[in-house]
Amino acid sequence: MGKAAMTRTLCCLTFLVLLLVFGSCEQDVYDKGDGTYSYMRADFVEAFVGSDCNVKYVITDDGQRLNLTTPVNKNWIQKADTVYRAVLYYNNSGGTTVEPIGLSRISTLSVKRDAIVAEGLKTDPLDVESIWLSPNKKYLNLGLLLKSGNIAEGQQIQTIAIVLSDVKVYDDSTRTSDLLLSHWQGDVPQYYTQRAYLSLSLADMLSDTINIRVNTYDGIITRKFYIK
């Protein structure tokens, strides 16, 4: 084994503002019969914004282009001619042109090398519903379960970060990046559970494999993914 190179970085976000969050009190958003949402499905996508700030088509993580019967405009679309990470809800009739039902933005983190990690990095526990690699290997997706509650004015809100804690380079020139999910609960009460999704962009990851470590209420878990 070659000598491991050590790199550290921190990439923070405020989940209450940027993450796609769902409450814990859930119900089905589709009918059980042949109603409006009987054939609804949801896909993680890249949403392509045109010069008019409308989304007219998306590319799914499986690489399929879906054209939208009706252009979608959202208030979180702040820039024309760009691409946003999102979840598309649509009626699926089997074709490549689909009827959009909803489009929700997914916060995307990217690892920035040469950043300085602030002292006192927090690893407050949270729960993990799922961690998976997108089929195109462009994103590592995380479904998180966060404890939350009503936040009084002036209270600290939760933050989530991805830290690149170590890069190991082996004798055969393969590389492994060790990632740590950092979470700061702040002063947010823990009365109920919220589901939140985020994606880590792997565009700048030069490693062959990644390990991500998360501190949960049941202890630390580690997941390994082959990205090359």
Side-chain angles (χ1 to χ4, degrees):
M1 181 183 298
K3 186 176 180 181
M6 178 70 78
T7 307
R8 293 181 181 272
T9 188
L10 181 65
C11 201
C12 296
L13 62 95
T14 303
F15 88 88
L16 288 177
V17 176
L18 296 179
L19 284 182
L20 176 61
V21 178
F22 298 95
S24 59
C25 298
E26 300 174 41
Q27 61 184 14
D28 290 338
V29 294
Y30 54 87
D31 296 332
K32 300 301 183 183
D34 291 326
T36 304
Y37 303 121
S38 298
Y39 303 99
M40 191 190 80
R41 64 172 289 170
D43 276 316
F44 277 52
V45 302
E46 290 181 328
F48 288 77
V49 178
S51 58
D52 57 358
C53 287
N54 289 326
V55 176
K56 298 178 182 177
Y57 74 94
V58 303
I59 303 293
T60 71
D61 283 0
D62 291 320
Q64 183 180 26
R65 173 170 170 151
L66 297 177
N67 299 306
L68 307 183
T69 57
T70 304
V72 175
N73 182 274
K74 293 291 183 178
N75 57 13
W76 44 260
I77 297 176
Q78 300 294 321
K79 187 177 179 181
D81 298 315
T82 190
V83 180
Y84 286 92
R85 184 70 169 151
V87 174
L88 174 68
Y89 301 89
Y90 62 97
N91 276 333
N92 179 27
S93 59
T96 57
T97 299
V98 300
E99 177 191 1
I101 296 174
L103 187 69
S104 299
R105 186 179 181 184
I106 295 288
S107 290
T108 303
L109 303 180
S110 57
V111 175
K112 297 180 180 178
R113 290 164 174 78
D114 301 324
I116 298 176
V117 177
E119 293 184 2
L121 187 68
K122 301 292 185 179
T123 55
D124 295 334
L126 47 71
D127 281 325
V128 175
E129 184 176 59
S130 57
I131 304 177
W132 74 98
L133 187 66
S134 61
N136 57 18
K137 296 187 177 182
K138 294 180 67 174
Y139 299 97
L140 183 68
N141 303 303
L142 298 95
L144 306 176
L145 300 175
L146 305 169
K147 299 293 185 181
S148 189
N150 295 330
I151 303 173
E153 185 177 354
Q155 275 189 312
Q156 175 65 50
I157 56 180
Q158 297 186 58
T159 57
I160 293 174
I162 296 291
V163 178
L164 178 63
S165 59
D166 191 12
V167 177
K168 299 181 178 71
V169 181
Y170 302 99
D171 290 337
D172 61 359
S173 297
T174 59
R175 301 160 62 94
T176 296
S177 292
D178 291 328
L179 306 177
L180 171 67
L181 189 144
S182 173
H183 170 233
W184 184 21
Q185 183 72 28
D187 295 325
V188 178
Q190 303 181 48
Y191 297 144
Y192 54 84
T193 299
Q194 287 185 311
R195 180 183 289 110
Y197 293 101
L198 63 85
S199 291
L200 173 67
S201 173
L202 302 177
D204 297 327
M205 299 291 292
L206 302 178
S207 296
D208 301 274
T209 60
I210 55 175
N211 298 318
I212 184 165
R213 182 162 50 95
V214 183
N215 183 30
T216 75
Y217 288 100
D218 294 322
I220 294 176
I221 63 171
T222 302
R223 297 288 184 267
K224 183 175 183 177
F225 298 92
Y226 293 86
I227 62 175
K228 298 293 185 183

